[in-house]
Amino acid sequence: PRLLSQFFFADERVTRVVAEINGLDAELDPQQYLVLLNQLHLSQARLLAVLERIMEECIPTQRHSRDYLVKFPEELLVDNLGNHMLFAAECLLAGTFLEMEESDGAQLRPQARNLLCSLELVRRVLREQSLSQPNSYPEPVRTVLIQFDRLFAEFELSYVSSLVAVKSPEEIYRQQEIIVLFCETVERALHLGYLTQEMIDGYEPLLMFTIPRLAIISGLLIYPDGPLSLERSPEEMPRVFSPFYNLLRKIRDLLRVLSAEELWLLERSLCTAE
């Protein structure tokens, strides 16, 4: 159950697979090479997972900030992102510039080198610690973990920023505005009896359609200064709504002529229509 013991065996697995790859002629046996490469990715993922748990146990208050992750596109925020970063660093150090311009890759190579050297140091230090005192984390262990955590975070941000357009602070704020709008919409719908708490607690599938529909009405009529404010230009609106700027103006103009009873009937119908 000790994390350092788990790290030792995970590290052994990585070392063994690397040795098998180095002793194989990929041209003579390409199928076996692919099998071993997949095993390497799996064993590295296991190693990083254990290392992550060790850092959470050893340096929980000294971890490098990961606030930058909110800037990343949602499709990149997957469980194996760390393993992909490690693979990218290895490719960059080997002179292979995957998915990016050679000039960008050349700029990232020093960071990749520092990261991989730091990882090798962490592996060596943790192996020695697991064989001597597997129940403690002395200061030298903490120091190399803090350095590795910082280098990993810096490389992750630099690498992803070179591949995709990360969100600006303004885009993040607009996204938060949408979250607030949806929360206020749900609160209002509960108050007016459009929805019930049981529907929310039970993850009623109809809510996937109901809440966005009600949010559009709330954003246009109830909270006109929020993310659906049509006083802004389309470029200043959240991306999810900006393509529909003209349509939203037409919807708002139609909503404004409804009486309170007609608006209530409309919202009720939106809660039941498929």
Side-chain angles (χ1 to χ4, degrees):
R2 292 177 297 194
L3 288 178
L4 281 175
S5 298
Q6 294 179 30
F7 181 87
F8 177 86
F9 289 108
D11 186 73
E12 282 280 284
R13 176 61 178 167
V14 171
T15 301
R16 186 165 61 251
V17 176
V18 169
E20 291 185 48
I21 290 177
N22 290 337
L24 181 71
D25 190 328
E27 293 183 359
L28 294 178
D29 195 349
Q31 187 65 36
Q32 180 62 16
Y33 176 77
L34 292 176
V35 170
L36 290 175
L37 194 62
N38 182 61
Q39 290 180 6
L40 177 60
H41 291 162
L42 293 175
S43 59
Q44 285 180 331
R46 169 63 178 164
L47 183 72
L48 288 178
V50 178
L51 181 55
E52 176 69 24
R53 292 171 61 196
I54 288 176
M55 290 191 291
E56 282 298 311
E57 182 176 86
C58 179
I59 54 170
T61 61
Q62 297 168 288
R63 299 293 303 273
H64 194 82
S65 173
R66 296 304 198 275
D67 290 346
Y68 59 82
L69 290 174
V70 74
K71 299 181 178 181
F72 290 2
E74 284 74 10
E75 59 269 19
L76 291 184
L77 300 178
V78 293
D79 292 337
N80 63 343
L81 179 60
N83 199 36
H84 183 74
M85 291 299 104
L86 182 58
F87 178 68
E90 293 170 339
C91 290
L92 286 172
L93 197 58
T96 303
F97 307 110
L98 297 176
E99 306 171 324
M100 65 173 56
E101 297 293 332
E102 184 173 346
S103 58
D104 293 332
Q107 290 182 347
L108 285 173
R109 284 190 73 182
Q111 281 186 280
R113 181 182 297 107
N114 292 338
L115 173 60
L116 294 176
C117 289
S118 178
L119 177 59
E120 285 303 310
L121 178 60
V122 165
R123 291 176 63 184
R124 185 173 73 249
V125 169
L126 290 184
R127 280 175 64 89
E128 294 172 354
Q129 187 66 25
S130 67
L131 293 172
S132 58
Q133 293 178 302
N135 292 319
S136 64
Y137 300 104
E139 191 59 31
V141 172
R142 298 168 61 86
T143 299
V144 297
L145 288 175
I146 291 171
Q147 181 189 45
F148 171 75
D149 189 48
R150 176 181 60 81
L151 291 173
F152 197 103
E154 291 174 352
F155 176 77
E156 185 174 55
L157 176 58
S158 299
Y159 181 79
V160 173
S161 298
S162 69
L163 294 180
V164 299
V166 297
K167 298 174 184 174
S168 66
E170 292 76 16
E171 289 175 305
I172 295 172
Y173 179 75
R174 292 169 191 162
Q175 187 176 44
Q176 292 173 336
E177 278 191 313
I178 295 175
I179 295 173
V180 172
L181 172 62
F182 273 57
C183 290
E184 292 178 337
T185 296
V186 170
E187 183 178 357
R188 177 173 173 269
L190 288 171
H191 177 71
L192 295 176
Y194 297 151
L195 307 176
T196 65
Q197 191 62 49
E198 289 74 18
M199 294 172 66
I200 296 174
D201 294 341
Y203 301 101
E204 174 62 44
L206 185 61
L207 296 179
M208 295 177 61
F209 302 97
T210 298
I211 294 176
R213 291 167 176 170
L214 293 177
I216 290 175
I217 294 180
S218 296
L220 293 174
L221 288 186
I222 313 301
Y223 310 110
D225 296 326
L228 286 184
S229 172
L230 298 179
E231 301 304 316
R232 308 175 180 179
S233 66
E235 293 75 21
E236 295 174 314
M237 296 181 69
R239 290 183 182 180
V240 68
F241 292 122
S242 58
F244 309 103
Y245 184 82
N246 292 330
L247 177 60
L248 289 172
R249 291 184 66 91
K250 294 178 181 179
I251 294 175
R252 184 195 61 182
D253 294 342
L254 290 172
L255 292 174
R256 283 177 170 175
V257 302
L258 297 180
S259 65
E261 182 179 359
E262 289 171 332
L263 179 61
W264 183 85
L265 291 173
L266 172 61
E267 291 185 306
R268 288 291 299 179
S269 67
L270 292 178
C271 296
T272 56
E274 298 183 358

